[in-house]
Structure formats: structure tokens, C-alpha cells
Amino acid sequence: MDRFGHTSRTRPPVVLTVPGLNNSGPGHWQTNWETTRGDCERVDLGRWSSPNRNAWVTRLDAAIREIDGPVILAAHSLGCITVAWWGALQSQAYGWPVTGALLVAPPDCDRVETPDMIGNFGPVPRSQLPFPSILVASRDDPYIFFERAHSMGKYWGSQFVDAGYCGHINADSGLGDWQFGQSLLDRLIDDAQTRAASADPGLPAIRPTAARRGTQEMHVQG
């Protein structure tokens, strides 16, 4: 228990950002969140330009295990597939230590024209993730058909969010700090803290972070 009365399970979640191929550079929402939010840190998956599925999943697992408390994953592109493989290969109890995941613009690694460098991440896992998740997809993402992204969300048990026309939802999309994405992340954080408080009735009530940031209109599909 720390000086605020938190046990490892009731501490505020650490947000691990999980980039995709070639990492996330300047102007990417992941990079911006790491600079501005204070609760985000990047997972170094290594070999950014020549990824290997097993190596990336192993590095993600090591990063999760280093944290003494709840973890939320904020993944982009191939990082989403890495998270899906971690969830399929690990045997964590539902919602612990990973308490949620924001999965943004996963690519379709099963398409015939998929480059070899990411094709080794296929076939895309079809098992439900052992934590709550939100999958965000763009209608004009060049790396996946919108309907295919929706199907992935069903496989993984994710809430599906239609981001409109944002390309690959990366630095080229010009999203800046991507407040819409942060509202989704804050929802996952709030839900995780609410579940922790419910499990420990001695904890004080938690003020939702999403309310502090304000809400944004979105198209959500179940």
C-alpha cells in the first residue's frame, strides 16, 4: 500500500503505448500523449523496421510484468495485432493486470497483398481478449477494409468506434493530441478505476477523468 492508500490493484493505471511498424514519430498521437498526459510510456518492441511477432509479444509481456499495478494498452496499427496475440497467448485473469486496451487502426495481416514484414503476424487471432477493449477504425484506412476491422472487433469482444475518414489514424492524419482518442482512453481508465473501487468499498469515490476533459460526439457500434 502506498502513501495514498492504494494497493497494487487500486493504483491509477499505467498506459503503455504500443506502436506499429517503424515506430511512432513526431506528430503521432502516441508521441504527443507521452509528452502531455503524464500517464503514458512507450513499449520498446525493438526491430521497428523488421518486426517479428514472437519477439514483439515477448517484449510487450516483459513491459507489462514490470509494472506493479493495473495496465492499459494504447496500441496503433501492428501494435494492435501484437496486443491481440499477447491476449491469445497469455492466461491472465479477465481484467488483470491489463485492465483495458485502446486498439487504433489495426492492419489486416491476412490479405494476400500484405507485405511480408507484417504478414508473419497473421493469421489475426480470433479469440476474445481477456480485458475490455475499444477498437477504433477509419473508413479510408489503406491497410484494412472498414468491414474487416468491424469483424476483428467482434472476434476480440471490442466495442467498435467509427472514426470517420482519418486515413491510418497516424501522424499523416493531422490529429495532434487527438482529443477524441483521449476521451476513449479516459473512458477505459474510468471503467478500470470504478471496477477497482467496487472490489474495495473502502476506497473514496473516483471522479471520472472523461468529465474533466469534456465529452465528444462519436459514432459507436456495439
Side-chain angles (χ1 to χ4, degrees):
M1 183 176 295
D2 63 21
R3 63 191 180 91
F4 300 106
H6 293 130
T7 65
S8 62
R9 284 185 175 267
T10 59
R11 290 173 187 152
V14 173
V15 178
L16 292 180
T17 59
V18 189
L21 180 68
N22 295 321
N23 207 348
S24 295
H28 195 288
W29 55 268
Q30 287 181 317
T31 304
N32 293 341
W33 290 5
E34 291 158 11
T35 303
T36 61
R37 283 186 59 98
D39 59 356
C40 297
E41 57 185 71
R42 181 167 303 192
V43 179
D44 182 5
L45 298 174
R47 295 180 57 182
W48 292 110
S49 61
S50 55
N52 174 270
R53 184 190 70 189
N54 291 342
W56 275 26
V57 172
T58 297
R59 282 182 173 250
L60 175 59
D61 183 62
I64 292 169
R65 292 178 184 277
E66 285 179 2
I67 297 172
D68 182 22
V71 175
I72 285 181
L73 305 173
H76 178 253
S77 193
L78 197 59
C80 299
I81 309 301
T82 304
V83 169
W85 273 112
W86 184 87
L89 296 173
Q90 299 303 315
S91 56
Q92 79 155 33
Y94 187 83
W96 184 263
V98 176
T99 63
L102 180 65
L103 306 170
V104 181
D108 188 354
C109 295
D110 298 341
R111 291 165 66 175
V112 174
E113 62 270 31
T114 297
D116 290 342
M117 67 179 62
I118 70 170
N120 70 82
F121 281 70
V124 171
R126 295 194 173 198
S127 54
Q128 182 164 333
L129 296 171
F131 40 77
S133 60
I134 299 173
L135 190 154
V136 186
S138 168
R139 289 181 172 270
D140 58 350
D141 191 328
Y143 302 108
I144 191 169
F145 293 115
F146 186 74
E147 295 76 11
R148 169 64 169 158
H150 189 269
S151 295
M152 281 189 192
K154 287 185 175 180
Y155 300 154
W156 299 342
S158 304
Q159 183 177 25
F160 186 80
V161 174
D162 179 350
Y165 295 87
C166 296
H168 195 44
I169 317 182
N170 55 11
D172 292 339
S173 303
L175 299 170
D177 290 342
W178 196 30
Q179 291 296 318
F180 178 65
Q182 290 196 59
S183 71
L184 299 176
L185 177 63
D186 287 338
R187 181 195 300 176
L188 288 167
I189 293 172
D190 291 342
D191 288 348
Q193 292 183 308
T194 298
R195 290 195 303 273
S198 297
D200 187 346
L203 288 176
I206 297 169
R207 185 181 179 188
T209 54
R212 293 197 297 272
R213 292 184 182 275
T215 57
Q216 298 193 31
E217 189 173 323
M218 57 187 165
H219 179 198
V220 180
Q221 300 182 20

